[in-house]
Amino acid sequence: MSLFQRLNQRFESWVVSRHKPQAPPVTIRRGRCYILPTRPGYVFALMLLAMLLGAMNYSNSLAFALTFLLGGMGMVAMHHTNANLLKLNVHVPRIPSVHAGDPVWVPVQFSHSTQKTRYSVLCGLKRSALSADSAVDCEADENVLSGFEIPAQPRGVYRVPRFTVATEFPLGLFQAWSWITLSSEYLVYPKPAAHTRPIPPVAGERGKRSGAQRGRDDFSHLRDYQYGDAPRTIHWKRYGHTGRLTVKTFADPMDESLWLDWASLPDLIDPEQRLSQLCRWVLDAEAGYQAYGLRLPGVELKPSRGAAHRQQCLEQLARFGTPGGTT
Amino acid sequence: MSAVHDHLSAAKVYRVLAVLFLIAAPHLPRLPLWASALVIAMGIWRALAAQRTWPMPGALLRNLLAGLALVGIWTQYQTLNGHHAGVALLVVMLGMKLTEMTTRRDYLVVIYLSYFLLITHFLFSQEMIMLLLMFAGALAITSVLIEVNHPQGILPLKRNLRLSGTLMLQAVPLMLIFFVLFPRIPGPLWGIPTDAGAGMTGLSDSMEPGMISELGMSDAVAFRVRFDAEAPPRSELYWRGPVFEYFNGRSWLPGPGNDLPIRAQVEFEGPPTVYEMQLEPHGKRWLLALDLPQGPLPEGATMGRDLVLRHKWDVIDKKLYRLASGTRYNVGSEASERYRQHLLSLPQASNPQTHEMVLSWKAQDDAPQAIIATALQHFANQPFHYTLRPPLLMNQHSIDQFVFETRRGFCEHYASAFTFMMRAAGIPARVVTGYQGAERNGDYYIVRQSDAHAWSEVWLEGRGWVRIDPTAAVAPERVELGLGGALPASEPIPGLARLGRGTLVQLQLRWDQVNAAWNRWVLAYGPELQQNIMSALGMPGLRALLITLTVLTLSSLLIINLIVARAHQSELERDPVQRIWRRFLGKLKRAGLAPQLHEGPIDLSQRVARERPQLADDAQRISQLYVHLRYASRQTDPVLLKRFRQRVRQFRSR
């Protein structure tokens, strides 16, 4: 590691020690905005030096003038770059949760109430890895969405890592940046296991699992007509529209609820594998027709259905055994 | 073939190419035709490639093309050093770079090279119009640099130019500060290319018939001069240039050792004439001076034994220098026997007729004064004509042909023939070229190329070098009135040299005054002028210069920072009412009455009244004023605002 890199690291760790996680949105303040020349900036300075030497050699007044004009523009651009970032509001709305193995997309929303448009604002995990794809222009009183990706992580609850908001606009000679440390969290659900184990036929609280029986009370969903279906269950209206015979099915949630149980998988010794399997079942159960409940050591979610319920289940799986989790 | 994955959109590529063309175009006439054609073709091809997403050529083809171009430049100029070859190389290589201009880095290389190309223009011209090119060029290049740093869509041209224009305008004060205060050092750091002075008009380093009459056709300014006191009479305005001591039968050339430093003591009569010279570049080393400079010589100048001032380097930039000259002088006892012989040498059996005639004069009276007088009378009495269009002298004995046949000539013919005669008579003599006369324009004088002149100097025992102007014997008006007075109207003399001139000429003279100021204050701005300015400000020395430079730069950067930051303020922050209210809140906070987030101004004042009854009145008034100013009307009442400010200022929490 070169001296420069080491100094850089020392500086970063010093800066980080000053940062306390904040609840979004965060406004970039003067004291938290850093600025350094970029590589093209150093090359520009070298070019100016060559121009200056040429001007001195030929005692050429206009060459001096151009050199000083460009030098002045470089210095002025530094202030513009810095101002391009100041008083910018950075907000991270809810981060969509993912399964382990998938990268996390962190949406970053910029806004400001000053008059000057902020051009080419970048964001990314590291200062060294800011992608031009994340560049956005932010007009006054406008919310602009950008974001960056966090590489795939194992299951768990994570705090948004400290990330960088930067800009090199207008001349690319300087990079102004700020590190944003937020208190927002996001979840990484377990990676769903392969489709090797069907959901075990565990009995509900009352009654037994009886796949062949159809409930009568609650409308559940539509399916294609099969030979033997009672004519009164046929959705005639739909037949009129589509020309296909479909039947209405009904379910009794109490009767047919599934229990996805941690304890039903004693052969999987690795807890992550168990969670992975439970995750697969949650997804499959949601795709099926029955209500399902989840039992983990210390956690029990009553059988239900729907996106909210599924998310609750997955969240429990993600939090399981973590400091932020229930256990 | 690599596929095009262009960093910039086609629209942006067009802008880069347009800017590149703007910067390169003034150079194109200077380039060989094939190079101009090549660069333009490359530009067109690159624009089409951007439009139709053609692939870029492979590395082999690229290197081959670049190699060929390099060889082409080399064969054209026989060198890669020098202004012309260097610029040609830069332009051609920029054209080549277009074939691999795809990544951000490539674009930056092209843009930085464009900045460099812009500065090379000033090696060729520093006219005032170039200032326009400098600003336009810097603006255009910067605008595409902004595009490269804006990876999203292309910015509207107006917006882009406003951004780059703001940057440039804010940089102008810094440029001025640096221009005036950045320490200037005299002389070049390394050499100057040999072709730097090519194509500049001026006196030549040899003299043959027809040379100066060619210069006589040119209106161009040779130098401008500003006398501290009254100017000497016109007949004394002999501006000394190159001196020739060796005759090869046709041309006069500088003798060997011409530039050896002078050893003789020069004695001057009468008070010196002090003046400031603004010399136009002429590509040669000599510094023109009123015959004969006596005072301290300018920085980097030396005087040779031919009494000519020479600069350390070729004069390829405008030079500004001060001199003191005495028009009456005596160059004492310098003339060793060897030097005398050198000053008498003539080619064997050259111009026999003239030689014979001079010997016959000498036989009558061999006193040098008498021979000189006879020679001058010969020119005056015989039908000699002064003309800018002398017939060509094709004869091997050109002086014989002139003296006995054509008898029509310009100053160099007379100076050459006279000097030959003197040498033939055994009087050491040499030819001096330079300028004669000057034209008043406001508070300074202009000397043009058409004032170029040649005369003779003879060495007389006891008196040293004496100036003899044989042209004056033929056409005394040349010295009294200048070229326009000495030549008939039928001669093709340049318009500005004629006597009695119209408004156009008057306008041209006005314009010359502007140019003179530009030359004096901008182009000739160097160590001397800088020191003068700093001394006039009472801050001599390099240290004072650097300290002033630093202080001024930092303070102007601070001002720019404030301007930029102000532009980035929100409306709320700019509102004076809001600013004053925040000051009030700050005072409360220091008193331990920090405003709560949920509190409006009225709630706040009520709480203050509860917690600090002694502040109740003040706080309530301030809050009411604030509410009124903020919400009662759209326009801010200045009287109320003033009262509000006063109350907040006077508010004491204890």
Side-chain angles (χ1 to χ4, degrees), chain B residues 583-641:
Chain B
R583 206 177 303 148
F584 173 64
L585 294 185
K587 284 185 172 183
L588 283 183
K589 195 172 171 186
R590 277 192 295 275
L593 292 163
Q596 304 295 308
L597 220 64
H598 57 84
E599 265 174 342
I602 303 291
D603 299 335
L604 181 66
S605 69
Q606 281 167 358
R607 187 163 59 90
V608 170
R610 273 199 312 278
E611 291 184 16
R612 303 275 171 89
Q614 75 274 24
L615 298 178
D617 279 359
D618 286 342
Q620 199 180 4
R621 280 227 185 87
I622 290 172
S623 299
Q624 275 168 354
L625 274 170
Y626 172 67
V627 170
H628 192 83
L629 279 164
R630 193 106 201 90
Y631 304 108
S633 73
R634 219 166 249 287
Q635 247 102 42
T636 307
D637 183 347
V639 181
L640 276 186
L641 183 66

Side-chain angles (χ1 to χ4, degrees), chain A residues 57-58 61 80 114-115 137, chain B residues 150 152 170 189 317 522 574:
Chain A
N57 189 48
Y58 296 108
S61 283
H80 281 263
T114 64
Q115 293 157 316
D137 292 348
Chain B
H150 186 254
Q152 307 93 297
Q170 288 175 345
L189 304 173
D317 290 301
V522 180
R574 280 200 222 201

Side-chain angles (χ1 to χ4, degrees), chain A residues 53 55-57 59 64, chain B residues 182-189 299 526-527 530 542:
Chain A
L53 290 178
M56 282 170 139
N57 189 48
S59 306
F64 272 118
Chain B
F182 186 83
R184 301 294 184 89
I185 52 156
L189 304 173
E299 176 86 32
Q530 190 171 47
L542 188 68

Side-chain angles (χ1 to χ4, degrees), chain A residues 45-236:
Chain A
L46 271 180
M47 181 192 74
L48 287 185
L49 187 67
M51 284 184 169
L52 184 66
L53 290 178
M56 282 170 139
N57 189 48
Y58 296 108
S59 306
N60 190 309
S61 283
L62 279 183
F64 272 118
L66 179 63
T67 308
F68 297 146
L69 180 70
L70 294 181
M73 283 168 86
M75 287 194 254
V76 171
M78 178 175 78
H79 293 278
H80 281 263
T81 307
N82 192 43
N84 198 30
L85 215 54
L86 291 182
K87 293 175 192 159
L88 189 67
N89 303 319
V90 183
H91 185 48
V92 173
R94 225 178 54 82
I95 301 167
S97 304
V98 294
H99 292 280
D102 292 334
V104 181
W105 176 255
V106 181
V108 181
Q109 189 178 293
F110 297 111
S111 65
H112 67 97
S113 55
T114 64
Q115 293 157 316
K116 288 272 163 166
T117 309
R118 310 307 178 88
Y119 294 98
S120 298
V121 179
L122 306 161
C123 59
L125 260 185
K126 286 227 173 72
R127 211 155 78 74
S128 52
L130 292 165
S131 156
D133 296 336
S134 71
V136 285
D137 292 348
C138 186
E139 303 278 348
D141 302 316
E142 189 190 66
N143 286 320
V144 182
L145 199 65
S146 177
F148 61 91
E149 216 176 59
I150 302 175
Q153 288 161 301
R155 175 198 70 92
V157 186
Y158 295 90
R159 174 171 288 162
V160 177
R162 173 171 59 89
F163 64 93
T164 313
V165 172
T167 186
E168 296 181 5
F169 200 81
L171 298 190
L173 308 179
F174 293 90
Q175 187 186 61
W177 78 95
S178 184
W179 281 303
I180 308 286
T181 317
L182 295 181
S183 51
S184 328
E185 289 184 339
Y186 63 90
L187 300 171
V188 177
Y189 305 145
K191 186 186 172 86
H195 288 273
T196 44
R197 275 168 209 258
I199 303 176
V202 180
E205 290 277 270
R206 295 178 283 132
K208 309 177 296 218
R209 186 184 190 274
S210 42
Q213 270 182 6
R214 300 278 178 269
R216 301 220 162 77
D217 306 336
D218 295 341
F219 171 72
S220 165
H221 66 291
L222 293 171
R223 63 167 174 79
D224 281 344
Y225 172 81
Q226 285 173 347
Y227 180 75
D229 280 329
R232 66 181 171 83
T233 63
I234 292 174
H235 196 317
W236 292 109

